[in-house]
């Protein structure tokens, strides 16, 4: 498998790409890096000339306040380009960090812009990706602002599972998600104590457990119900 093939597989979930389109995308990955967990890929304020493609592993976007508190904005899986907006904005307004050991590819902005200019289907597919990303952001804002701790965690797990399953990286009831309670707290807007209590409650009820970097779902339907992860949410129809 070529380095960028997981991204192409993901784009094809929602967009028609010809062999010429995919060949053009494969040709523009300039280099690939293997990164340990918690490696900063881009830092807020960086002026960038490349886009990042997650080839394997997980990453996350976050911002840190003046008092040192981190808010994780989103998690990203293999096949995703978490900084595609950098093609136009140039200056990054958040940090991008590997959550786990990860393999990442880089595409020069000039090369990507040339492919977009020449191949309308690629431009449309990448535009679709940015719209999906924005839709997930909107739903996550609603979750953080209106849901309980249990519902926030359930929604996050349901969404990650759906995205991984869409590209063949999750079984029905189990998937890799190397998340610590500290990072969960930073994503869910909770204390680590609250996250620990919520996980203990889920574990005791055989709803959900996270052990050894693997999520095991004891009751998938309950997770979907608790998180309010209905058919209208972007993660449920991303592969339509």
């Amino acid at each position: 498998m070529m380095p960028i093939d997981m991204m192409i597989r993901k784009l094809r979930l929602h967009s028609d790409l010809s062999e010429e389109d995919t060949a053009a995308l494969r040709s523009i990955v300039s280099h690939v890096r293997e990164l340990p967990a918690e490696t900063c890929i881009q830092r807020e304020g960086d002026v960038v000339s490349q886009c990042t493609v997650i080839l394997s592993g997980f990453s996350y976007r976050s911002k840190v306040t003046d008092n040192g508190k981190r808010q994780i904005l989103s998690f990203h899986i293999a096949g995703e380009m978490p900084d595609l907006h950098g093609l136009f904005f140039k200056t990054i307004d958040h940090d991008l960090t590997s959550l786990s050991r990860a393999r990442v590819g880089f595409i020069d902005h000039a090369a990507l812009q040339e492919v977009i200019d020449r191949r309308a289907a690629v431009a449309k597919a990448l535009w679709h990706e940015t719209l999906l990303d924005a839709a997930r952001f909107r739903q996550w804002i609603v979750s953080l602002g209106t849901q309980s701790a249990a519902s926030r965690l359930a929604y996050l797990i349901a969404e990650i599972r759906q995205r991984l399953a869409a590209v063949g990286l999750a079984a029905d009831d189990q998937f890799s998600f190397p998340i610590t309670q500290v990072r969960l707290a930073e994503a869910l807007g909770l204390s680590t104590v609250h996250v620990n209590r919520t996980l203990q409650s889920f574990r005791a009820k055989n709803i959900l457990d996270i052990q050894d970097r693997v999520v095991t779902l004891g009751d998938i339907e309950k997770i979907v119900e608790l998180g309010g992860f209905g058919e209208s949410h972007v993660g449920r129809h991303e592969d339509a």
Side-chain angles (χ1 to χ4, degrees):
M1 180 179 287
M2 295 284 287
I4 205 172
D5 278 1
M6 185 63 78
M7 173 186 162
I8 291 170
R9 176 176 179 175
K10 187 173 188 301
L11 293 176
R12 279 180 160 166
L13 293 174
H14 54 65
S15 300
D16 292 326
L17 295 175
S18 68
E19 290 304 316
E20 290 79 10
D21 293 329
T22 59
L25 285 170
R26 290 188 182 98
S27 71
I28 59 174
V29 177
S30 60
H31 63 286
V32 174
R33 292 176 58 195
E34 303 279 350
L35 302 177
E38 297 297 336
T39 298
C40 183
I41 302 169
Q42 291 173 356
R43 197 176 303 279
E44 182 174 359
D46 284 353
V47 177
V48 293
S49 60
Q50 297 176 316
C51 285
T52 307
V53 183
I54 308 303
L55 304 176
S56 66
F58 294 81
S59 67
Y60 63 90
R61 291 186 285 191
S62 65
K63 290 182 74 73
V64 179
T65 63
D66 290 341
N67 63 7
K69 185 176 178 61
R70 177 186 283 109
Q71 175 66 53
I72 290 180
L73 307 171
S74 58
F75 294 100
H76 293 275
I77 68 171
E80 295 182 348
M81 297 178 69
D83 58 356
L84 183 57
H85 58 280
L87 179 63
F88 300 103
F89 293 162
K90 306 302 182 184
T91 301
I92 297 298
D93 66 352
H94 57 266
D95 296 335
L96 174 62
T97 308
S98 60
L99 176 68
S100 64
R101 182 176 179 179
R103 190 167 182 248
V104 300
F106 297 91
I107 299 174
D108 289 338
H109 284 172
L112 181 58
Q113 186 65 63
E114 183 179 353
V115 170
I116 289 172
D117 290 343
R118 289 191 294 107
R119 312 211 67 87
V122 172
K124 183 179 178 181
L126 294 177
W127 183 26
H128 196 140
E129 277 294 294
T130 63
L131 295 176
L132 288 171
D133 191 43
R136 283 193 291 264
F137 263 127
R138 287 191 293 273
Q139 189 56 46
W140 189 238
I141 290 169
V142 172
S143 179
L144 288 178
T146 65
Q147 291 187 324
S148 66
S151 294
R152 293 181 208 179
L153 177 56
Y155 184 90
L156 174 63
I157 294 301
E159 182 197 273
I160 293 292
R161 172 183 173 269
Q162 177 65 21
R163 286 159 61 194
L164 289 170
V167 291
L169 295 177
D172 286 343
D173 61 353
Q174 201 169 68
F175 57 89
S176 172
F177 187 34
I179 187 77
T180 64
Q181 291 188 21
V182 170
R183 292 292 176 255
L184 273 177
E186 292 170 342
L188 300 174
L190 302 169
S191 69
T192 53
V193 171
H194 204 161
V195 167
N196 182 266
R197 288 174 180 166
T198 304
L199 283 171
Q200 286 186 33
S201 174
F202 278 4
R203 187 178 300 124
K205 297 173 183 176
N206 196 32
I207 294 173
L208 161 71
D209 197 10
I210 304 177
Q211 296 286 342
D212 299 324
R213 305 163 64 89
V214 173
V215 174
T216 301
L217 303 178
D219 190 338
I220 296 172
E221 292 183 359
K222 189 65 174 178
I223 287 294
V224 170
E225 178 188 347
L226 277 172
F229 196 70
E231 293 293 340
S232 64
H233 292 138
V234 65
R236 296 297 294 271
H237 57 76
E238 188 169 348
D239 56 345

